[in-house]
């Protein structure tokens, strides 16, 4: 073919490419999506799989670093806890209180929102009374309170996150100067808690951490629940409510601990 | 295999490698606006070595894939890349000279034009900082890359 002829072919091919490209550009988004999906699942599949594998590896490396830090921190805490336990045992002996009742923690995996017919704020634990997991019992992590187990069978247990409207927990400040009941906030879009029933005369400054009081026997005392952020409402001369930032958000939890309270005498 | 065929195959492999590297490293490169644009580099290399029609087809294919990866501007990117690749290849036919400055200038202008076309194709408002600062820096780095690759792959361009 002569050079001018080849030039015309080049031009025709280019015009065709531009036309096809423009046609694709004016397709409806749904039809373009079909083409996009076809390319992403064929020609681009190896590239996307590689990118996903690299991203997963990066995430795992970051997670590993966090877990190693947590492990080191736990090892240090364990040494301190052993010393505290020994001191506690000696003190109880001096005070003739007898040995401290032993409680048990059972590690469980939470499956949020997967209970058939259940609500959004519930979770399922695939361990039941046969595994030593019995409702009702408090559920928490090292960072703080997660929720409560409500009903159990031999092999599964259903629980509620603290975001559930029925959830209540008795709390107090570290010094014990103020106490109250914490429930989920009213705005489902804002994962905040509300502290109710706090004494009117006592101000709880922002930044104060609230802990479980242990009243009711569902939760062990001393588990962080949240941090006071601001006054929510004042009921004249009687009590105050506070907005509380939760220590743990449900979406952060994969594995948690279930508290089995010490057996009675 | 004679030298011309070997050089042509090497060029095709280099262009393919640049395209694969672009799509593999896309998440990293997108976050770095001053990085060289491997896709634009591959298209400029193609425009240097193949006929304008073939360059347009390569640009069209690359534009389709880029649109599928970016999830926006699929057809318009393909049309724009095809057009810019064709014009670049035609410019090479018209202006190619043995001047040492030709290749970097050709790659720089080509990549810059491609970036402008890309901005227009996805319908984004023209960001002057991106167009006058980021894009020229990226185009300069890409031109340097094209120059290095071109010198490494072949000493003299040959049409495929």
């Amino acid at each position: 073919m002569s050079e001018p002829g080849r030039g015309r072919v080049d031009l025709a091919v280019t015009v065709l490419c531009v036309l096809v490209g423009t046609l694709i550009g004016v397709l409806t988004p749904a039809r373009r999506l079909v083409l996009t999906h076809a390319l992403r699942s064929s020609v681009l599949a190896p590239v996307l799989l590689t990118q996903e594998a690299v991203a997963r590896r990066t995430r795992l490396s970051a997670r590993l670093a966090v877990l190693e830090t947590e492990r080191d921190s736990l090892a240090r805490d364990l040494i301190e806890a052993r010393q505290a336990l020994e001191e506690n045992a000696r003190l109880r002996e001096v005070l003739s209180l007898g040995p401290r009742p032993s409680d048990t923690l059972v590690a469980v995996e939470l499956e949020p929102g997967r209970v058939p017919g259940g609500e959004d704020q519930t979770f399922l634990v695939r361990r039941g009374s046969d595994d030593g997991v019995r409702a009702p019992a408090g559920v928490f992590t090292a960072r703080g309170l997660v929720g409560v187990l409500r009903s159990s069978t031999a092999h599964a247990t259903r629980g509620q996150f603290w975001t559930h409207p029925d959830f209540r927990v008795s709390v107090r400040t570290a010094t014990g100067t103020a106490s109250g009941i914490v429930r989920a906030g009213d705005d489902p879009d804002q994962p905040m808690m509300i502290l109710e029933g706090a004494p009117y005369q006592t101000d709880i400054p922002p930044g104060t951490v609230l802990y479980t009081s242990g009243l009711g026997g569902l939760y062990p005392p001393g588990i962080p629940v949240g941090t006071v952020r601001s006054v929510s409402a004042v009921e004249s001369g009687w009590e105050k409510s506070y907005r509380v930032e939760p220590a743990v958000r449900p979406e952060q939890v994969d594995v948690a601990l279930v508290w089995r309270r010490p057996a009675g005498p | 295999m004679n030298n011309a065929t070997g050089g042509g195959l090497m060029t095709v492999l280099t262009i393919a490698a640049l395209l694969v590297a672009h799509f593999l490293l896309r998440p990293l490169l997108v976050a770095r606006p001053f990085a060289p644009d491997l896709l634009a580099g591959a298209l400029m290399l193609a425009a240097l070595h193949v006929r304008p029609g073939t360059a347009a087809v390569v640009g069209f294919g690359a534009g389709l894939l880029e649109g599928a990866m970016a999830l926006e501007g699929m057809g318009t990117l393909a049309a724009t890349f095809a057009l810019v690749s064709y014009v670049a290849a035609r410019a090479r036919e018209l202006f190619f000279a043995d001047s040492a400055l030709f290749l970097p200038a050709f790659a720089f202008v080509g990549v810059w034009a491609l970036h402008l076309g890309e901005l227009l194709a996805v319908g984004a408002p023209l960001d002057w900082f991106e167009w006058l600062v980021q894009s020229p820096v990226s185009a300069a780095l890409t031109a340097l890359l094209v120059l290095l690759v071109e010198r490494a792959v072949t000493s003299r361009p040959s049409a495929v």
Side-chain angles (χ1 to χ4, degrees), chain A residues 6 10 14 21 39-40 47 51, chain B residues 23 27 51-53 68 74-75 86:
Chain A
R6 291 183 73 176
D10 287 336
T14 307
L39 285 173
R40 289 176 76 93
V47 172
Q51 284 179 358
Chain B
F23 288 115
R51 293 199 54 80
M74 185 183 222
Y86 173 79

Side-chain angles (χ1 to χ4, degrees), chain A residues 3 6-7 10-11 13-14 17-18 20-22 24-25 32-33 35-36 39-40 43-44 46-48 50-51, chain B residues 23-27 51-54 56-57 60 64-65 68-71 74-76 78-79 82-83 86 93:
Chain A
E3 191 55 34
R6 291 183 73 176
D10 287 336
L11 185 61
V13 167
T14 307
C17 286
V18 172
V20 172
T22 310
I24 294 171
R32 267 208 310 274
L33 197 63
L35 188 55
T36 301
L39 285 173
R40 289 176 76 93
V43 184
L44 291 172
V47 172
L48 292 169
T50 308
Q51 284 179 358
Chain B
F23 288 115
L24 273 178
L25 302 175
R26 200 173 180 282
R51 293 199 54 80
T54 315
V57 172
F60 177 79
L64 271 187
L65 295 180
M69 285 294 278
L71 298 174
M74 185 183 222
T76 43
L83 196 60
Y86 173 79
E93 283 186 343

Side-chain angles (χ1 to χ4, degrees), chain B residues 24-77:
Chain B
L24 273 178
L25 302 175
R26 200 173 180 282
L28 289 176
L29 296 176
V30 163
R32 290 172 178 75
F34 293 110
D37 187 336
L38 302 183
L39 185 142
L43 293 187
M44 289 306 110
L45 270 179
L48 272 176
H49 288 276
V50 301
R51 293 199 54 80
T54 315
V57 172
V58 173
F60 177 79
L64 271 187
L65 295 180
E66 180 69 2
M69 285 294 278
L71 298 174
E72 62 177 355
M74 185 183 222
T76 43
L77 273 179

